[in-house]
Amino acid sequence: MLKTILHINPDKTLSHIAPEIYGQFSEHLGRCIYDGIYVGEDSDIPNVKGMRKDVVEALRALHLPVLRWPGGCFADEYHWRDGIGPKENRRRMVNTSWGGTVEDNSFGTHEFMELCDQLDCEPYIAINLGSGTVQEAAEWIEYMTADGDSTITNLRKENGRTKPWHLKYVGIGNENWGCGGSMSPDFYANEYKRYQCFCKNYGDNKLYKVACGPNAEDYNWTKELMSRIDHLQANGISLHCYTVPGDWEHRGSATDFSDEEYYSTISNALHIEDIIKKHLAIMDEYDPNHDIDLLVDEWGTWYNVEPGTNPAFLYQQNTMRDAIVAAASLNIFNKHSDRIAMANIAQVVNVLQAMILTEDTKILKTPTYDVFQMYKEHQNATLVESYVADAANRINEPVISYNDISIPALSESVSVTEQNGQKLLTITLSNTSLTDSLSVELELPIKYSFCGKASVAMLHAEARAYNTFDDPDRVRAFETEEDWNGNLQIVSLPACSVCRICCYVS
Ligand code: AHR
């Protein structure tokens, strides 16, 4: 058994954890929107205004804060006017980003806003900068958010929506260094400034504008972009960072992987922390007051698609390995919540590291779903200081070594909320070892003690275990209540596990 000590200081509050860190992403890609979310009102699958009831209900339980749409790469070929008005008149287009399927535009702005209403979440719209026009972008914002008697707002009213919608988050372009137009950073920065200038605030609606930031380790993009924009033009810049077990040519199977691939996946996922730190350091040079946030608005695992499925649909299974990636990534985002304002795992249903998979009338919740369920208590809480080992060294030990890969056994973060005059701690832990359990001694400062019942949720299974439509609860978190007292408490984490503890301290 491995052992470590986690020091927790409830008095050392560090940053507010934006609920948006627990955000999601939906794209017109494969079976994410159609089948996964939207089946149409005439479907035999129970739905409300075309949205699958089972999927909406499952997502509501996650307290999903924000949903990004319509892409992804698709955003830069999407023309919003194609997706409004009577469905039979909507333009049928070829989705050239994702397999050349015919997109009938039956899910458009009104349907997306309806979905956000049903999910009780903020919409996050990605505007077409790659193949659109400034006028088109400006009019989309007007269509969604303006009141009054203009031709555009009257069009919205004719289409059934009298009041403007509330819209805060607007991304201007997507991956414009790649699928969004193969632009150089200086060219994009100029385009961004022109587009953002015409994305207006109407009435009380205040936009939060996001510029297309870097791909993973492209530090030059961040430097060039940050040197050309300021906080009056952008509230945040995005970062896209996916985890692959090897490299993009050798992504491997989602379910059938070696121990080495497991450890390389976790190691690559943990590497996002270095990437974030380096981008933040560059941002600091140009924005020392931290007026511009970082939004990791695409992240997650990316494997080969499930055998027999369309390679352009990016449909992959989801194992306990993905749960460890999700837990470790969310702990990292929590730890950097002073600068990270949002993160959106890719993607919510049926694509990449999904929360939910669907097959006709059936759905299953993946192990990643359970992690988001367990971590939801961090939303809107305050990050507090927590660290492994002694105060002088803060070395995250023990370390797991496999061939030339070394990763810390423990991933952790701790937050606090005040409830009825008491402090409620949420402690999230993950043991990354495939073989050894990990004993974690939680240590509070001497003046504090754990008081009363602790709710302990545990998710653990063999790394390759996953849920199927015939066995949908094979990997599932379970919750127990334990009596905790004193300022020291030992938690035993089985190999390959994720744990969330909620307990009062005083
Ligand atoms: O999430 C799938 C794709 O990954 C998105 O469309 C794109 O932005 C990224 O490359």
Side-chain angles (χ1 to χ4, degrees):
M1 165 162 328
L2 305 167
K3 284 189 177 166
T4 194
I5 299 175
L6 181 68
H7 302 267
I8 300 170
N9 187 351
D11 287 334
K12 185 104 188 252
T13 54
L14 299 174
S15 48
H16 171 245
I17 299 178
E20 288 80 4
I21 283 178
Y22 293 82
Q24 301 278 339
F25 170 35
S26 59
E27 180 168 9
H28 290 240
L29 191 180
R31 297 190 304 110
C32 180
I33 296 291
Y34 303 111
D35 270 14
I37 295 171
Y38 185 73
V39 288
E41 293 183 37
D42 299 333
S43 170
D44 291 339
I45 298 175
N47 67 84
V48 175
K49 298 188 179 165
M51 315 296 160
R52 287 183 77 124
K53 270 186 173 177
D54 48 4
V55 168
V56 168
E57 190 190 328
L59 292 177
R60 278 183 69 91
L62 297 183
H63 297 175
L64 197 136
V66 62
L67 184 63
R68 181 170 179 251
W69 174 85
C73 295
F74 181 76
D76 280 305
E77 64 170 326
Y78 182 67
H79 301 282
W80 67 271
R81 283 175 185 273
D82 295 344
I84 57 169
K87 299 211 178 196
E88 60 280 12
N89 298 341
R90 294 192 189 178
R91 189 165 84 93
R92 293 168 69 79
M93 65 175 281
V94 180
N95 183 338
T96 63
S97 298
W98 302 112
T101 52
V102 172
E103 162 66 57
D104 69 2
N105 276 302
S106 55
F107 187 94
T109 305
H110 291 252
E111 289 76 16
F112 175 64
M113 291 301 196
E114 169 63 28
L115 174 64
C116 291
D117 272 356
Q118 290 189 24
L119 294 173
D120 196 17
C121 74
E122 292 272 355
Y124 176 14
I125 296 272
I127 283 192
N128 180 347
L129 175 144
S131 70
T133 64
V134 174
Q135 182 182 0
E136 186 185 2
E139 289 182 351
W140 197 9
I141 301 293
E142 183 186 345
Y143 186 86
M144 290 184 281
T145 63
D147 213 344
D149 185 24
S150 73
T151 303
I152 297 283
T153 54
N154 287 338
L155 182 61
R156 185 192 68 230
K157 290 171 195 164
E158 279 163 32
N159 289 330
R161 173 77 186 192
T162 313
K163 284 190 309 176
W165 288 287
H166 158 78
L167 174 68
K168 180 175 177 186
Y169 297 108
V170 175
I172 300 178
N174 170 78
E175 297 195 352
N176 301 94
W177 32 261
C179 64
S182 295
M183 298 174 189
S184 62
D186 54 328
F187 181 82
Y188 170 75
N190 286 336
E191 286 292 283
Y192 171 81
K193 284 191 275 191
R194 195 162 68 100
Y195 270 72
Q196 74 79 26
C197 196
F198 295 96
C199 291
K200 306 285 187 190
N201 292 327
Y202 291 95
D204 295 340
N205 194 74
K206 182 137 178 38
L207 298 175
Y208 177 106
K209 297 173 190 169
V210 183
C212 165
N215 182 27
E217 293 176 280
D218 185 353
Y219 303 110
N220 183 54
W221 181 279
T222 304
K223 192 172 171 53
E224 294 293 324
L225 178 65
M226 288 298 297
S227 69
R228 289 174 170 83
I229 58 168
D230 65 33
H231 70 280
L232 299 173
Q233 298 155 337
N235 300 94
I237 69 167
S238 62
L239 164 67
H240 287 186
C241 196
Y242 285 98
T243 297
V244 290
D247 55 40
W248 283 94
E249 279 66 51
H250 305 95
R251 296 197 300 274
S253 158
T255 52
D256 183 13
F257 49 88
S258 64
D259 288 359
E260 172 136 16
E261 282 176 291
Y262 167 84
Y263 283 117
S264 67
T265 307
I266 307 306
S267 170
N268 292 346
L270 292 172
H271 182 52
I272 199 173
E273 182 154 29
D274 288 336
I275 295 175
I276 288 168
K277 283 181 183 166
K278 286 185 181 146
H279 286 298
L280 289 176
I282 296 168
M283 291 170 71
D284 285 354
E285 287 173 30
Y286 299 95
D287 176 35
N289 295 332
H290 297 176
D291 290 319
I292 300 182
D293 302 324
L294 185 65
L295 293 83
V296 190
D297 68 11
E298 288 188 30
W299 68 275
T301 53
W302 193 318
Y303 309 118
N304 294 338
V305 297
E306 279 302 288
T309 65
N310 186 331
F313 284 12
L314 309 186
Y315 177 80
Q316 66 189 37
Q317 250 296 355
N318 193 298
T319 64
M320 192 61 211
R321 170 175 66 167
D322 295 276
I324 302 285
V325 168
S329 304
L330 292 169
N331 283 334
I332 291 169
F333 300 154
N334 285 347
K335 294 262 183 190
H336 292 277
S337 51
D338 57 331
R339 303 297 304 283
I340 296 182
M342 189 191 293
N344 308 72
I345 189 169
Q347 298 190 6
V348 66
V349 186
N350 287 337
V351 171
L352 298 176
Q353 192 175 351
M355 304 299 110
I356 293 172
L357 303 178
T358 70
E359 189 180 78
D360 302 323
T361 56
K362 295 185 194 163
I363 73 164
L364 69 80
K365 297 172 196 161
T366 64
T368 300
Y369 176 97
D370 282 40
V371 175
F372 274 74
Q373 169 91 293
M374 291 159 77
Y375 276 53
K376 69 184 179 199
E377 316 301 335
H378 282 308
Q379 293 188 29
N380 259 325
T382 303
L383 182 76
V384 295
E385 182 182 67
S386 58
Y387 55 89
V388 170
D390 62 277
N393 295 311
R394 299 196 182 187
I395 297 166
N396 197 351
E397 286 183 327
V399 164
I400 314 281
S401 295
Y402 190 93
N403 295 336
D404 55 356
I405 304 165
S406 290
I407 56 169
L410 181 68
S411 156
E412 54 80 22
S413 66
V414 182
S415 68
V416 67
T417 46
E418 296 283 338
Q419 285 193 2
N420 311 322
Q422 278 189 298
K423 287 185 194 304
L424 177 66
L425 286 188
T426 297
I427 306 167
T428 47
L429 310 169
S430 172
N431 175 7
T432 62
S433 170
L434 279 179
T435 48
D436 294 303
S437 55
L438 173 64
S439 162
V440 184
E441 185 171 317
L442 304 174
E443 188 186 271
L444 297 173
I446 198 79
K447 70 172 196 182
Y448 275 106
S449 68
F450 295 105
C451 43
K453 302 266 178 247
S455 143
V456 181
M458 185 69 80
L459 176 69
H460 78 97
E462 206 279 320
R464 294 154 194 87
Y466 57 94
N467 297 329
T468 64
F469 293 100
D470 294 329
D471 191 0
D473 294 319
R474 179 156 172 231
V475 186
R476 199 87 295 149
F478 61 92
E479 204 152 332
T480 51
E481 274 208 343
E482 295 175 15
D483 280 318
W484 282 16
N485 296 294
N487 76 319
L488 295 177
Q489 185 67 46
I490 292 180
V491 184
S492 181
L493 304 177
C496 199
S497 64
V498 180
C499 175
R500 187 241 49 220
I501 297 141
C502 287
C503 56
Y504 287 99
V505 294
S506 62

